[in-house]
């Protein structure tokens, strides 16, 4: 690139004489003028053109371009001046390698800043890119930054003529060893990314695990998920387990309402219409917790061994209220059934003794034949 720039301006330098030092100084001054002109005139004009044609481009991105383009033009001027002076091969290699290394570092800094600005903007609009959000932003920032830094180091070594083959082979072996040593950590890390991107649950949701534990999600991290059970016990689950398990999200679906089932059995001689009416009255009376939409329902499920089995179905506003609502409804069912003389059958065992044994007691005698 430096050689092409020098070839483009070489015909104009002959108008100022054949002295190489004069031409080199003129190129350096010209590079300062062109860089300043671009920085203060062309960027402003480009922003105006973008605003006029209604292209959605963040102004901070153009602001970040000021520094790398400005210094790139200066470095091109210095390289052209070095070509004009034509130093010895060793010094030329040092000069051009140093200029290219500085250019790589400048552009690497630009890409690091642009990466932060771009990903932050993407995370602010999670509807377009679900995988990148405020929780996964640090992960993607670090991954892209590492890639940029690795490429920068590779190009710097390349311009100095250092063979990177052995280094890359060593890095591959080390990467494999680290991958095997930290496979559980990496599994949790990637599962955490997928959980945040797919969002099967979020903070504040009530979930039920395969093990039967139920609680509110309080934290979703890169390594683990935490939930607070109804006993106020915090449970920490590795994300790899969460990603490979069946999770019931009671807060999911079209609304946060949750369904409660209250099974109840009544005697076979009970009036089933009266049972339905009493259960519906109990459900409608608890308006503080029980929803009207969907409305409560009573279902006659089956003929049990010693009872007619009914089920009261109600919806509550939040899953956290499930235990409280079940307690209230069970208490009211017991009281109302007693008032309406509706029998709740329970297991009874009757013991029948046909007859008592009628035998005389056996008398034991001692050695002198006297009864003991």
């Amino acid at each position: 690139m430096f050689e092409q720039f020098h070839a483009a301006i070489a015909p104009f330098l002959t108008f100022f004489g054949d002295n190489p030092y004069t031409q080199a100084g003129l190129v350096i001054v010209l590079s300062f003028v062109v860089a300043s002109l671009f920085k203060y005139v062309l960027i402003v004009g480009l922003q105006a053109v973008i605003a006029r044609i209604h292209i959605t481009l963040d102004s901070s991105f153009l602001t970040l371009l000021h520094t790398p383009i400005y210094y790139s033009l200066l470095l091109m001027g210095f390289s052209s001046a070095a070509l004009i002076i034509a130093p010895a091969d060793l010094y030329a290699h040092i000069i051009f390698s140093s200029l290219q290394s500085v250019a790589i570092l400048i552009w690497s800094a630009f890409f690091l800043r642009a990466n932060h600005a771009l990903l932050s903007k993407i995370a602010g609009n999670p509807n377009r890119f679900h995988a990148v959000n405020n929780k996964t932003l640090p992960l993607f920032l670090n991954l892209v930054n590492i890639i940029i830094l690795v490429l920068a180091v590779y190009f710097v070594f390349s311009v100095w003529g250092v063979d990177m083959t052995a280094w890359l082979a060593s890095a591959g072996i080390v990467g494999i060893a680290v991958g095997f040593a930290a496979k559980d950590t990496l599994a949790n890390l990637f599962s955490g990314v997928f959980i945040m991107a797919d969002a099967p649950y979020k903070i504040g949701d009530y979930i039920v695990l395969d093990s039967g534990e139920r609680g509110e999600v309080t934290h979703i991290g890169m390594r683990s998920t935490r939930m607070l059970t109804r006993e106020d016990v915090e449970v920490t689950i590795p994300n790899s387990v969460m990603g490979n398990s069946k999770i019931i999200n009671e807060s999911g679906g079209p609304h946060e309402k949750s369904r409660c089932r209250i099974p109840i059995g009544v005697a076979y001689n009970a009036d089933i219409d009266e049972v339905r009416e009493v259960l519906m009255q109990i459900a409608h009376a608890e308006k503080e917790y029980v929803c009207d939409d969907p409305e409560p329902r009573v279902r006659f499920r089956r003929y049990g061994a010693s009872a007619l089995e009914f089920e009261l179905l109600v919806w509550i506003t939040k899953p956290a209220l499930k235990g409280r609502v079940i307690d209230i409804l069970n208490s009211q069912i017991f009281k109302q059934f007693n008032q309406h003389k509706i029998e709740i059958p329970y297991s009874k065992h009757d013991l029948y003794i046909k007859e008592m044994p009628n035998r005389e007691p056996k008398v034991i005698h001692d050695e002198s034949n006297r009864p003991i």
Side-chain angles (χ1 to χ4, degrees):
M1 181 177 63
F2 295 153
E3 288 80 1
Q4 287 85 353
F5 178 76
H6 174 70
I9 65 172
F12 300 98
L13 298 177
T14 56
F15 294 104
F16 300 94
D18 296 331
N19 189 331
Y21 293 99
T22 302
Q23 292 181 354
L26 181 63
V27 169
I28 293 175
V29 172
L30 182 62
S31 65
F32 273 103
V33 173
V34 173
S36 301
L37 182 66
F38 182 88
K39 181 176 181 180
Y40 295 107
V41 178
L42 295 182
I43 288 291
V44 176
L46 184 60
Q47 290 176 343
V49 171
I50 291 175
R52 180 173 298 179
I53 61 179
H54 304 291
I55 295 179
T56 303
L57 185 63
D58 194 353
S59 60
S60 62
F61 185 80
L62 291 176
T63 303
L64 291 175
L65 275 173
H66 285 183
T67 300
I69 294 180
Y70 177 80
Y71 285 105
S72 295
L73 292 173
L74 291 182
L75 292 174
M76 292 174 67
F78 284 119
S79 65
S80 181
L83 287 173
I84 294 173
I85 296 175
D89 292 340
L90 177 61
Y91 295 109
H93 175 70
I94 295 175
I95 292 173
F96 290 115
S97 298
S98 299
L99 293 175
Q100 292 178 24
S101 299
V102 172
I104 292 171
L105 295 177
I106 291 173
W107 280 100
S108 298
F110 162 74
F111 284 118
L112 290 174
R113 295 176 182 175
N115 169 50
H116 186 276
L118 181 61
L119 289 181
S120 298
K121 187 174 181 180
I122 293 175
N125 186 15
N127 295 327
R128 181 173 298 179
F129 299 95
H130 299 285
V132 183
N133 51 54
N134 291 328
K135 294 186 179 68
T136 60
L137 178 60
L139 173 66
F140 286 100
L141 280 176
N142 292 331
L143 288 177
V144 178
N145 288 344
I146 290 173
I147 294 174
I148 293 173
L149 292 175
V150 170
L151 291 177
V153 172
Y154 174 79
F155 288 128
V156 168
F157 276 92
S158 297
V159 298
W160 286 94
V162 178
D163 187 8
M164 294 293 295
T165 304
W167 291 86
L168 293 175
S170 301
I173 296 173
V174 172
I176 294 173
V178 172
F180 277 110
K183 60 180 181 178
D184 293 335
T185 301
L186 292 175
N188 292 328
L189 178 65
F190 286 110
S191 296
V193 174
F194 295 143
I195 288 173
M196 293 179 182
D198 192 38
Y201 53 83
K202 59 183 183 298
I203 295 176
D205 285 357
Y206 271 79
I207 62 174
V208 181
L209 305 180
D210 278 345
S211 58
E213 295 168 309
R214 173 179 176 268
E216 178 185 2
V217 178
T218 58
H219 175 77
I220 303 175
M222 299 305 301
R223 192 193 69 83
S224 63
T225 297
R226 301 175 198 163
M227 75 174 191
L228 190 67
T229 66
R230 299 305 297 166
E231 291 79 20
D232 287 338
V233 176
E234 187 177 69
V235 180
T236 301
I237 311 101
N239 284 331
S240 59
V241 175
M242 298 293 287
N244 295 316
S245 301
K246 176 183 176 182
I247 307 296
I248 299 175
N249 188 354
E250 295 185 348
S251 301
H255 48 68
E256 195 180 3
K257 297 175 183 177
S258 181
R259 198 179 200 183
C260 287
R261 300 174 180 268
I262 314 294
I264 182 67
V266 299
Y268 268 86
N269 60 357
D271 185 350
I272 62 173
D273 293 328
E274 184 182 11
V275 172
R276 289 178 182 274
E277 182 180 355
V278 172
L279 290 177
M280 289 297 293
Q281 289 176 357
I282 293 172
H284 286 300
E286 300 299 329
K287 294 186 178 295
E288 182 179 356
Y289 302 111
V290 177
C291 300
D292 292 330
D293 184 24
E295 64 179 7
R297 301 171 187 173
V298 176
R299 293 290 184 262
F300 183 5
R301 292 303 186 192
R302 63 187 62 86
Y303 296 94
S306 59
L308 302 175
E309 298 180 7
F310 285 81
E311 196 170 43
L312 174 61
L313 306 176
V314 299
W315 279 260
I316 57 178
T317 55
K318 293 182 180 180
L321 302 174
K322 190 172 185 178
R324 184 186 307 177
V325 172
I326 291 176
D327 172 70
I328 294 174
L329 293 177
N330 277 330
S331 300
Q332 291 300 318
I333 288 172
F334 184 79
K335 294 177 182 179
Q336 294 297 324
F337 276 20
N338 282 337
Q339 291 181 8
H340 290 80
K341 306 301 181 182
I342 300 175
E343 181 184 356
I344 301 176
Y346 55 92
S347 180
K348 299 177 182 179
H349 300 278
D350 295 330
L351 179 63
Y352 295 93
I353 302 176
K354 293 183 178 180
E355 60 181 10
M356 294 296 293
N358 187 15
R359 292 185 298 177
E360 294 182 358
K362 184 178 180 180
V363 180
I364 302 176
H365 296 80
D366 60 5
E367 294 179 355
S368 60
N369 202 22
R370 289 181 300 181
I372 298 178

PDB file of all heavy atoms in Angstrom, residues 24 54 61 88 103 105 114 119 121 140 146 150 179 188 224 242 253 268 284 291 294 320-321 339 345 348 361 364:
ATOM      1  N   ALA A  24      11.190  14.480   0.436  1.00  0.00           N
ATOM      2  CA  ALA A  24      10.687  13.742   1.611  1.00  0.00           C
ATOM      3  C   ALA A  24       9.994  14.692   2.581  1.00  0.00           C
ATOM      4  O   ALA A  24       8.906  14.398   3.099  1.00  0.00           O
ATOM      5  CB  ALA A  24      11.835  13.008   2.297  1.00  0.00           C
ATOM      6  N   HIS A  54     -30.601   9.718   4.454  1.00  0.00           N
ATOM      7  CA  HIS A  54     -31.343   8.946   5.463  1.00  0.00           C
ATOM      8  C   HIS A  54     -30.792   7.528   5.617  1.00  0.00           C
ATOM      9  O   HIS A  54     -31.531   6.549   5.631  1.00  0.00           O
ATOM     10  CB  HIS A  54     -32.832   8.876   5.107  1.00  0.00           C
ATOM     11  CG  HIS A  54     -33.458  10.222   4.933  1.00  0.00           C
ATOM     12  ND1 HIS A  54     -33.666  11.095   5.991  1.00  0.00           N
ATOM     13  CD2 HIS A  54     -33.903  10.856   3.816  1.00  0.00           C
ATOM     14  CE1 HIS A  54     -34.231  12.203   5.532  1.00  0.00           C
ATOM     15  NE2 HIS A  54     -34.380  12.090   4.217  1.00  0.00           N
ATOM     16  N   PHE A  61     -19.692   6.100  15.184  1.00  0.00           N
ATOM     17  CA  PHE A  61     -18.836   5.276  14.331  1.00  0.00           C
ATOM     18  C   PHE A  61     -17.950   6.153  13.461  1.00  0.00           C
ATOM     19  O   PHE A  61     -16.752   5.891  13.286  1.00  0.00           O
ATOM     20  CB  PHE A  61     -19.696   4.354  13.477  1.00  0.00           C
ATOM     21  CG  PHE A  61     -18.905   3.380  12.656  1.00  0.00           C
ATOM     22  CD1 PHE A  61     -18.401   2.227  13.224  1.00  0.00           C
ATOM     23  CD2 PHE A  61     -18.666   3.616  11.309  1.00  0.00           C
ATOM     24  CE1 PHE A  61     -17.672   1.321  12.467  1.00  0.00           C
ATOM     25  CE2 PHE A  61     -17.937   2.724  10.549  1.00  0.00           C
ATOM     26  CZ  PHE A  61     -17.440   1.576  11.134  1.00  0.00           C
ATOM     27  N   ALA A  88      19.384   2.007   3.488  1.00  0.00           N
ATOM     28  CA  ALA A  88      19.885   0.647   3.287  1.00  0.00           C
ATOM     29  C   ALA A  88      18.774  -0.361   3.584  1.00  0.00           C
ATOM     30  O   ALA A  88      17.783  -0.062   4.258  1.00  0.00           O
ATOM     31  CB  ALA A  88      21.102   0.400   4.177  1.00  0.00           C
ATOM     32  N   ALA A 103       0.528   1.122  12.293  1.00  0.00           N
ATOM     33  CA  ALA A 103      -0.775   1.147  11.603  1.00  0.00           C
ATOM     34  C   ALA A 103      -1.681   0.016  12.104  1.00  0.00           C
ATOM     35  O   ALA A 103      -2.881   0.213  12.328  1.00  0.00           O
ATOM     36  CB  ALA A 103      -0.563   1.048  10.101  1.00  0.00           C
ATOM     37  N   LEU A 105      -1.588  -1.453  15.048  1.00  0.00           N
ATOM     38  CA  LEU A 105      -2.033  -1.136  16.414  1.00  0.00           C
ATOM     39  C   LEU A 105      -3.133  -0.072  16.416  1.00  0.00           C
ATOM     40  O   LEU A 105      -4.097  -0.157  17.187  1.00  0.00           O
ATOM     41  CB  LEU A 105      -0.836  -0.674  17.248  1.00  0.00           C
ATOM     42  CG  LEU A 105       0.252  -1.733  17.494  1.00  0.00           C
ATOM     43  CD1 LEU A 105       1.412  -1.125  18.283  1.00  0.00           C
ATOM     44  CD2 LEU A 105      -0.319  -2.926  18.241  1.00  0.00           C
ATOM     45  N   ALA A 114     -14.873   0.161  18.067  1.00  0.00           N
ATOM     46  CA  ALA A 114     -16.047  -0.017  17.210  1.00  0.00           C
ATOM     47  C   ALA A 114     -16.828  -1.264  17.612  1.00  0.00           C
ATOM     48  O   ALA A 114     -18.069  -1.274  17.559  1.00  0.00           O
ATOM     49  CB  ALA A 114     -15.618  -0.108  15.750  1.00  0.00           C
ATOM     50  N   LEU A 119     -21.712  -3.645  19.306  1.00  0.00           N
ATOM     51  CA  LEU A 119     -22.405  -4.666  20.095  1.00  0.00           C
ATOM     52  C   LEU A 119     -23.307  -4.040  21.156  1.00  0.00           C
ATOM     53  O   LEU A 119     -24.367  -4.584  21.469  1.00  0.00           O
ATOM     54  CB  LEU A 119     -21.388  -5.604  20.745  1.00  0.00           C
ATOM     55  CG  LEU A 119     -20.660  -6.559  19.796  1.00  0.00           C
ATOM     56  CD1 LEU A 119     -19.695  -7.440  20.554  1.00  0.00           C
ATOM     57  CD2 LEU A 119     -21.652  -7.416  19.024  1.00  0.00           C
ATOM     58  N   LYS A 121     -24.951  -1.282  20.806  1.00  0.00           N
ATOM     59  CA  LYS A 121     -26.157  -0.859  20.092  1.00  0.00           C
ATOM     60  C   LYS A 121     -27.036  -2.049  19.743  1.00  0.00           C
ATOM     61  O   LYS A 121     -28.267  -1.980  19.838  1.00  0.00           O
ATOM     62  CB  LYS A 121     -25.756  -0.108  18.815  1.00  0.00           C
ATOM     63  CG  LYS A 121     -26.948   0.519  18.100  1.00  0.00           C
ATOM     64  CD  LYS A 121     -26.501   1.376  16.931  1.00  0.00           C
ATOM     65  CE  LYS A 121     -27.714   2.022  16.251  1.00  0.00           C
ATOM     66  NZ  LYS A 121     -27.298   2.861  15.101  1.00  0.00           N
ATOM     67  N   PHE A 140     -19.822 -11.685  24.316  1.00  0.00           N
ATOM     68  CA  PHE A 140     -19.524 -11.395  22.909  1.00  0.00           C
ATOM     69  C   PHE A 140     -18.438 -10.325  22.777  1.00  0.00           C
ATOM     70  O   PHE A 140     -17.607 -10.394  21.869  1.00  0.00           O
ATOM     71  CB  PHE A 140     -20.795 -10.966  22.194  1.00  0.00           C
ATOM     72  CG  PHE A 140     -21.744 -12.091  21.911  1.00  0.00           C
ATOM     73  CD1 PHE A 140     -22.843 -12.308  22.722  1.00  0.00           C
ATOM     74  CD2 PHE A 140     -21.518 -12.958  20.859  1.00  0.00           C
ATOM     75  CE1 PHE A 140     -23.714 -13.356  22.468  1.00  0.00           C
ATOM     76  CE2 PHE A 140     -22.378 -14.010  20.597  1.00  0.00           C
ATOM     77  CZ  PHE A 140     -23.473 -14.208  21.409  1.00  0.00           C
ATOM     78  N   ILE A 146     -10.855 -10.693  21.809  1.00  0.00           N
ATOM     79  CA  ILE A 146      -9.762 -11.669  21.752  1.00  0.00           C
ATOM     80  C   ILE A 146      -9.385 -11.960  20.299  1.00  0.00           C
ATOM     81  O   ILE A 146      -8.195 -12.052  19.959  1.00  0.00           O
ATOM     82  CB  ILE A 146     -10.180 -12.960  22.486  1.00  0.00           C
ATOM     83  CG1 ILE A 146     -10.262 -12.699  23.996  1.00  0.00           C
ATOM     84  CG2 ILE A 146      -9.200 -14.090  22.203  1.00  0.00           C
ATOM     85  CD1 ILE A 146     -10.826 -13.857  24.783  1.00  0.00           C
ATOM     86  N   VAL A 150      -5.711 -11.245  18.766  1.00  0.00           N
ATOM     87  CA  VAL A 150      -4.927 -12.348  18.191  1.00  0.00           C
ATOM     88  C   VAL A 150      -4.523 -12.026  16.759  1.00  0.00           C
ATOM     89  O   VAL A 150      -3.365 -12.245  16.353  1.00  0.00           O
ATOM     90  CB  VAL A 150      -5.736 -13.658  18.260  1.00  0.00           C
ATOM     91  CG1 VAL A 150      -5.058 -14.757  17.450  1.00  0.00           C
ATOM     92  CG2 VAL A 150      -5.884 -14.103  19.720  1.00  0.00           C
ATOM     93  N   GLY A 179      -9.219 -27.191  26.732  1.00  0.00           N
ATOM     94  CA  GLY A 179     -10.590 -27.606  26.477  1.00  0.00           C
ATOM     95  C   GLY A 179     -10.960 -28.870  27.242  1.00  0.00           C
ATOM     96  O   GLY A 179     -12.050 -28.961  27.811  1.00  0.00           O
ATOM     97  N   ASN A 188     -20.945 -25.318  30.784  1.00  0.00           N
ATOM     98  CA  ASN A 188     -21.810 -24.372  31.499  1.00  0.00           C
ATOM     99  C   ASN A 188     -21.836 -23.022  30.809  1.00  0.00           C
ATOM    100  O   ASN A 188     -22.888 -22.359  30.745  1.00  0.00           O
ATOM    101  CB  ASN A 188     -21.325 -24.208  32.938  1.00  0.00           C
ATOM    102  CG  ASN A 188     -21.524 -25.457  33.766  1.00  0.00           C
ATOM    103  OD1 ASN A 188     -22.470 -26.205  33.547  1.00  0.00           O
ATOM    104  ND2 ASN A 188     -20.635 -25.703  34.706  1.00  0.00           N
ATOM    105  N   SER A 224     -24.138 -20.587  36.002  1.00  0.00           N
ATOM    106  CA  SER A 224     -25.197 -21.280  36.730  1.00  0.00           C
ATOM    107  C   SER A 224     -26.449 -20.415  36.799  1.00  0.00           C
ATOM    108  O   SER A 224     -26.426 -19.218  36.504  1.00  0.00           O
ATOM    109  CB  SER A 224     -24.730 -21.627  38.153  1.00  0.00           C
ATOM    110  OG  SER A 224     -24.447 -20.439  38.884  1.00  0.00           O
ATOM    111  N   MET A 242     -29.300 -27.354  33.425  1.00  0.00           N
ATOM    112  CA  MET A 242     -30.536 -26.674  33.021  1.00  0.00           C
ATOM    113  C   MET A 242     -30.789 -26.820  31.517  1.00  0.00           C
ATOM    114  O   MET A 242     -31.931 -26.951  31.078  1.00  0.00           O
ATOM    115  CB  MET A 242     -30.463 -25.198  33.390  1.00  0.00           C
ATOM    116  CG  MET A 242     -30.336 -24.929  34.883  1.00  0.00           C
ATOM    117  SD  MET A 242     -31.797 -25.406  35.805  1.00  0.00           S
ATOM    118  CE  MET A 242     -32.925 -24.110  35.331  1.00  0.00           C
ATOM    119  N   GLY A 253     -46.093 -19.020  28.954  1.00  0.00           N
ATOM    120  CA  GLY A 253     -47.376 -19.047  28.265  1.00  0.00           C
ATOM    121  C   GLY A 253     -47.895 -17.665  27.949  1.00  0.00           C
ATOM    122  O   GLY A 253     -47.198 -16.654  28.105  1.00  0.00           O
ATOM    123  N   TYR A 268     -70.834 -41.695  48.454  1.00  0.00           N
ATOM    124  CA  TYR A 268     -71.653 -42.109  47.324  1.00  0.00           C
ATOM    125  C   TYR A 268     -73.108 -41.663  47.460  1.00  0.00           C
ATOM    126  O   TYR A 268     -73.826 -41.581  46.458  1.00  0.00           O
ATOM    127  CB  TYR A 268     -71.582 -43.636  47.165  1.00  0.00           C
ATOM    128  CG  TYR A 268     -70.489 -44.067  46.221  1.00  0.00           C
ATOM    129  CD1 TYR A 268     -69.181 -44.240  46.683  1.00  0.00           C
ATOM    130  CD2 TYR A 268     -70.740 -44.281  44.878  1.00  0.00           C
ATOM    131  CE1 TYR A 268     -68.175 -44.639  45.833  1.00  0.00           C
ATOM    132  CE2 TYR A 268     -69.734 -44.675  44.014  1.00  0.00           C
ATOM    133  CZ  TYR A 268     -68.447 -44.853  44.488  1.00  0.00           C
ATOM    134  OH  TYR A 268     -67.442 -45.232  43.633  1.00  0.00           O
ATOM    135  N   HIS A 284     -65.840 -18.719  43.791  1.00  0.00           N
ATOM    136  CA  HIS A 284     -66.217 -17.334  43.476  1.00  0.00           C
ATOM    137  C   HIS A 284     -66.074 -16.415  44.682  1.00  0.00           C
ATOM    138  O   HIS A 284     -65.927 -15.196  44.514  1.00  0.00           O
ATOM    139  CB  HIS A 284     -67.654 -17.298  42.951  1.00  0.00           C
ATOM    140  CG  HIS A 284     -67.796 -17.820  41.553  1.00  0.00           C
ATOM    141  ND1 HIS A 284     -67.139 -17.264  40.483  1.00  0.00           N
ATOM    142  CD2 HIS A 284     -68.516 -18.872  41.052  1.00  0.00           C
ATOM    143  CE1 HIS A 284     -67.448 -17.925  39.377  1.00  0.00           C
ATOM    144  NE2 HIS A 284     -68.289 -18.916  39.698  1.00  0.00           N
ATOM    145  N   CYS A 291     -59.038 -16.026  39.865  1.00  0.00           N
ATOM    146  CA  CYS A 291     -59.383 -15.217  38.696  1.00  0.00           C
ATOM    147  C   CYS A 291     -60.789 -15.559  38.197  1.00  0.00           C
ATOM    148  O   CYS A 291     -61.238 -16.710  38.281  1.00  0.00           O
ATOM    149  CB  CYS A 291     -58.380 -15.470  37.571  1.00  0.00           C
ATOM    150  SG  CYS A 291     -56.668 -15.069  37.986  1.00  0.00           S
ATOM    151  N   PRO A 294     -59.624 -17.118  33.228  1.00  0.00           N
ATOM    152  CA  PRO A 294     -60.659 -18.129  33.014  1.00  0.00           C
ATOM    153  C   PRO A 294     -61.442 -18.408  34.301  1.00  0.00           C
ATOM    154  O   PRO A 294     -60.891 -18.333  35.394  1.00  0.00           O
ATOM    155  CB  PRO A 294     -59.865 -19.362  32.562  1.00  0.00           C
ATOM    156  CG  PRO A 294     -58.518 -18.848  32.151  1.00  0.00           C
ATOM    157  CD  PRO A 294     -58.268 -17.652  33.005  1.00  0.00           C
ATOM    158  N   ALA A 320     -46.723 -17.835  42.602  1.00  0.00           N
ATOM    159  CA  ALA A 320     -46.247 -17.780  43.980  1.00  0.00           C
ATOM    160  C   ALA A 320     -47.373 -17.952  44.986  1.00  0.00           C
ATOM    161  O   ALA A 320     -47.137 -18.318  46.140  1.00  0.00           O
ATOM    162  CB  ALA A 320     -45.534 -16.452  44.226  1.00  0.00           C
ATOM    163  N   LEU A 321     -48.612 -17.706  44.565  1.00  0.00           N
ATOM    164  CA  LEU A 321     -49.753 -17.788  45.477  1.00  0.00           C
ATOM    165  C   LEU A 321     -50.345 -19.189  45.547  1.00  0.00           C
ATOM    166  O   LEU A 321     -51.345 -19.394  46.259  1.00  0.00           O
ATOM    167  CB  LEU A 321     -50.847 -16.810  45.027  1.00  0.00           C
ATOM    168  CG  LEU A 321     -50.448 -15.333  44.938  1.00  0.00           C
ATOM    169  CD1 LEU A 321     -51.578 -14.521  44.339  1.00  0.00           C
ATOM    170  CD2 LEU A 321     -50.076 -14.800  46.310  1.00  0.00           C
ATOM    171  N   GLN A 339     -71.157 -27.763  56.954  1.00  0.00           N
ATOM    172  CA  GLN A 339     -72.416 -27.027  57.089  1.00  0.00           C
ATOM    173  C   GLN A 339     -73.522 -27.635  56.237  1.00  0.00           C
ATOM    174  O   GLN A 339     -74.693 -27.661  56.641  1.00  0.00           O
ATOM    175  CB  GLN A 339     -72.211 -25.566  56.709  1.00  0.00           C
ATOM    176  CG  GLN A 339     -71.361 -24.773  57.686  1.00  0.00           C
ATOM    177  CD  GLN A 339     -71.205 -23.330  57.278  1.00  0.00           C
ATOM    178  OE1 GLN A 339     -71.862 -22.867  56.334  1.00  0.00           O
ATOM    179  NE2 GLN A 339     -70.341 -22.601  57.977  1.00  0.00           N
ATOM    180  N   PRO A 345     -65.645 -38.943  52.832  1.00  0.00           N
ATOM    181  CA  PRO A 345     -65.318 -40.285  53.340  1.00  0.00           C
ATOM    182  C   PRO A 345     -63.824 -40.411  53.633  1.00  0.00           C
ATOM    183  O   PRO A 345     -62.984 -39.738  53.044  1.00  0.00           O
ATOM    184  CB  PRO A 345     -65.738 -41.213  52.200  1.00  0.00           C
ATOM    185  CG  PRO A 345     -65.652 -40.367  50.985  1.00  0.00           C
ATOM    186  CD  PRO A 345     -66.015 -38.975  51.402  1.00  0.00           C
ATOM    187  N   LYS A 348     -61.949 -46.440  56.827  1.00  0.00           N
ATOM    188  CA  LYS A 348     -62.421 -47.004  58.090  1.00  0.00           C
ATOM    189  C   LYS A 348     -62.131 -48.504  58.096  1.00  0.00           C
ATOM    190  O   LYS A 348     -62.281 -49.182  57.079  1.00  0.00           O
ATOM    191  CB  LYS A 348     -63.934 -46.789  58.248  1.00  0.00           C
ATOM    192  CG  LYS A 348     -64.354 -45.332  58.278  1.00  0.00           C
ATOM    193  CD  LYS A 348     -65.861 -45.214  58.367  1.00  0.00           C
ATOM    194  CE  LYS A 348     -66.308 -43.766  58.342  1.00  0.00           C
ATOM    195  NZ  LYS A 348     -67.795 -43.634  58.397  1.00  0.00           N
ATOM    196  N   PRO A 361     -56.968 -72.107  82.639  1.00  0.00           N
ATOM    197  CA  PRO A 361     -55.525 -71.854  82.696  1.00  0.00           C
ATOM    198  C   PRO A 361     -54.754 -73.073  83.181  1.00  0.00           C
ATOM    199  O   PRO A 361     -55.233 -73.835  84.012  1.00  0.00           O
ATOM    200  CB  PRO A 361     -55.418 -70.691  83.682  1.00  0.00           C
ATOM    201  CG  PRO A 361     -56.629 -70.787  84.523  1.00  0.00           C
ATOM    202  CD  PRO A 361     -57.724 -71.317  83.635  1.00  0.00           C
ATOM    203  N   ILE A 364     -49.046 -74.845  86.983  1.00  0.00           N
ATOM    204  CA  ILE A 364     -47.683 -75.367  87.020  1.00  0.00           C
ATOM    205  C   ILE A 364     -47.344 -75.693  88.466  1.00  0.00           C
ATOM    206  O   ILE A 364     -47.580 -74.878  89.372  1.00  0.00           O
ATOM    207  CB  ILE A 364     -46.701 -74.339  86.431  1.00  0.00           C
ATOM    208  CG1 ILE A 364     -47.098 -74.007  84.987  1.00  0.00           C
ATOM    209  CG2 ILE A 364     -45.278 -74.885  86.478  1.00  0.00           C
ATOM    210  CD1 ILE A 364     -46.228 -72.922  84.383  1.00  0.00           C
TER     211      ILE A 364
END
